[in-house]
């Protein structure tokens, strides 16, 4: 993975040459982007279906917090946005994509766990998320997890989030499993269900969409800790370079601006940026 460090140095050297040539020639020609000197690309895995985090829009653009974080990191590695090949990284495919070398790194609501760390390495974490509950903004009946008893609680099929609530916090919750979060949101809006549970970032991402703003609210229950990291191949030197980029993103204010832009409209209250290498249990 030395090509990333080498590319950054090469880009800087090329920029110096261009500036020197321009000064000598007194040319008025406009310069290109910092990563435009060659056709080399970087491949980044993200989610394509999570509003506010990683979403491929109908017009082919990519938006969300993970997209903004990945774009910043790629810039620090020497790549312009146009140099990024975005690849869908579904939850079940992430380790395989990294192990096969199909992607250079993955930023896709990728929680750092001991099991995953046996297969891949993680830079970060860059965000501390929590399992939470989304409810209608006019519903004051759910003020703590235990209030979910006898309530219709929704999550997607196969998710561990709703089971976690049912087994540990509200055993009498009426679990409803739908095919996708958008279906849960429709049910919540139509009062077919009472609450939706998963990571607070995912909930905030959906609630921040224009069609849902003002309709839902987060419980703020913090029922688990989810340390989002950037996945790389096991043993990759890229981990250290990404950590440097994440530290810079926090220091220059870009990290907070990205969180506010993508999740703020839902009233999401983020934790302070986590310290690199510190995973909150």
């Amino acid at each position: 993975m030395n090509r990333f460090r080498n590319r950054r140095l090469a880009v800087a050297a090329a920029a110096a040459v261009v500036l020197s040539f321009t000064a000598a020639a007194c040319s008025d020609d406009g310069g290109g982007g910092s990563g435009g000197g060659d056709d080399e690309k970087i491949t980044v895995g993200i989610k394509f279906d999570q509003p506010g985090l990683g979403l491929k829009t109908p017009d082919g653009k990519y938006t969300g917090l993970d997209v903004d974080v990945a774009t910043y990191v790629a810039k620090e590695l020497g790549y312009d946005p146009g140099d990024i090949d975005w690849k869908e990284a579904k939850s079940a495919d992430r380790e395989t994509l990294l192990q096969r070398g199909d992607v250079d790194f993955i930023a896709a609501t990728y929680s750092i766990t001991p099991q995953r760390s046996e297969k891949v390495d993680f830079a970060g974490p860059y965000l501390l998320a929590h399992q939470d509950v989304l409810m209608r903004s006019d519903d004051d009946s759910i003020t703590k997890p235990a209030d979910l008893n006898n309530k219709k609680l929704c999550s997607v099929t196969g998710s561990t989030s709703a089971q976690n609530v049912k087994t540990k916090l509200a055993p009498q919750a009426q679990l409803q499993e739908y095919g996708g979060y958008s279906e849960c949101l429709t049910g919540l809006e139509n009062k077919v269900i009472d609450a939706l549970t998963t990571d607070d970032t995912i909930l905030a991402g959906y609630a921040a969409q224009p069609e849902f703003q003002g309709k839902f609210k987060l419980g703020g229950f913090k029922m688990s800790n989810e340390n989002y990291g950037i996945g790389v191949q096991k043993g990759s030197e890229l981990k250290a370079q990404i950590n440097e980029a994440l530290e810079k993103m926090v220091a220059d204010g870009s990290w907070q601006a990205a969180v506010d832009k993508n999740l703020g409209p839902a009233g999401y209250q983020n934790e302070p940026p986590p310290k690199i290498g510190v995973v909150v249990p």
Side-chain angles (χ1 to χ4, degrees):
M1 289 292 181
N2 281 333
R3 69 182 176 91
F4 297 100
R5 180 73 70 185
N6 292 340
R7 178 183 172 83
R8 189 158 52 178
L9 294 173
V11 167
V17 170
V18 169
L19 288 172
S20 176
F21 177 81
T22 302
C26 297
S27 170
D28 291 329
D29 292 341
S34 64
D38 57 53
D39 295 328
E40 190 177 4
K41 297 281 189 176
I42 185 169
T43 304
V44 179
I46 58 169
K47 294 291 181 66
F48 278 13
D49 59 354
Q50 289 185 343
L53 293 160
L55 180 70
K56 183 178 181 180
T57 61
D59 59 359
K61 295 180 180 178
Y62 300 91
T63 66
L65 175 61
D66 286 343
V67 173
D68 288 347
V69 169
T71 300
Y72 189 101
V73 168
K75 179 194 70 176
E76 290 302 303
L77 295 174
Y79 295 86
D80 284 339
D83 297 326
I84 302 173
D85 281 335
W86 300 105
K87 188 175 183 66
E88 185 173 19
K90 295 180 179 179
S91 295
D93 300 333
R94 290 177 295 201
E95 285 84 40
T96 301
L97 289 171
L98 288 168
Q99 290 172 331
R100 289 194 314 216
D102 293 339
V103 295
D104 292 300
F105 67 82
I106 289 178
T109 58
Y110 203 0
S111 295
I112 302 171
T113 67
Q115 295 79 11
R116 290 169 178 165
S117 296
E118 292 178 359
K119 300 177 181 179
V120 302
D121 281 345
F122 286 97
Y126 63 90
L127 186 75
L128 177 60
H130 306 282
Q131 185 183 341
D132 201 358
V133 167
L134 191 73
M135 63 201 84
R136 288 182 294 277
S137 58
D138 61 354
D139 186 354
D140 297 323
S141 67
I142 304 173
T143 61
K144 58 186 181 297
D147 292 337
L148 293 168
N149 281 309
N150 300 313
K151 298 285 189 178
K152 294 183 176 66
L153 177 66
C154 187
S155 195
V156 298
T157 303
S159 168
T160 60
S161 298
Q163 289 291 350
N164 182 49
V165 172
K166 188 169 176 60
T167 57
K168 298 178 181 179
L169 302 168
Q172 295 178 344
Q174 300 174 29
L175 181 57
Q176 310 284 316
E177 292 186 306
Y178 288 7
Y181 292 117
S182 59
E183 297 173 49
C184 285
L185 280 167
T186 300
L188 184 60
E189 185 176 15
N190 295 333
K191 300 185 178 181
V192 176
I193 62 169
D194 300 305
L196 162 62
T197 185
T198 187
D199 292 1
D200 54 6
T201 51
I202 297 174
L203 297 174
Y206 277 103
Q209 299 309 294
E211 65 269 30
F212 294 131
Q213 284 186 23
K215 295 182 179 180
F216 306 119
K217 63 183 179 182
L218 291 162
F221 298 153
K222 299 184 179 180
M223 295 181 286
S224 72
N225 293 324
E226 306 295 335
N227 298 266
Y228 288 176
I230 294 181
V232 298
Q233 277 189 342
K234 199 72 176 173
S236 171
E237 294 181 6
L238 191 57
K239 174 181 174 179
Q241 297 175 43
I242 293 176
N243 280 337
E244 288 180 15
L246 292 175
E247 288 176 340
K248 182 177 179 181
M249 187 177 188
V250 170
D252 69 15
S254 299
W255 180 87
Q256 189 64 59
V259 173
D260 291 343
K261 180 186 77 172
N262 291 291
L263 304 179
Y268 177 74
Q269 299 295 318
N270 64 275
E271 297 278 8
K275 294 183 179 179
I276 297 300
V278 178
V279 176
V280 179

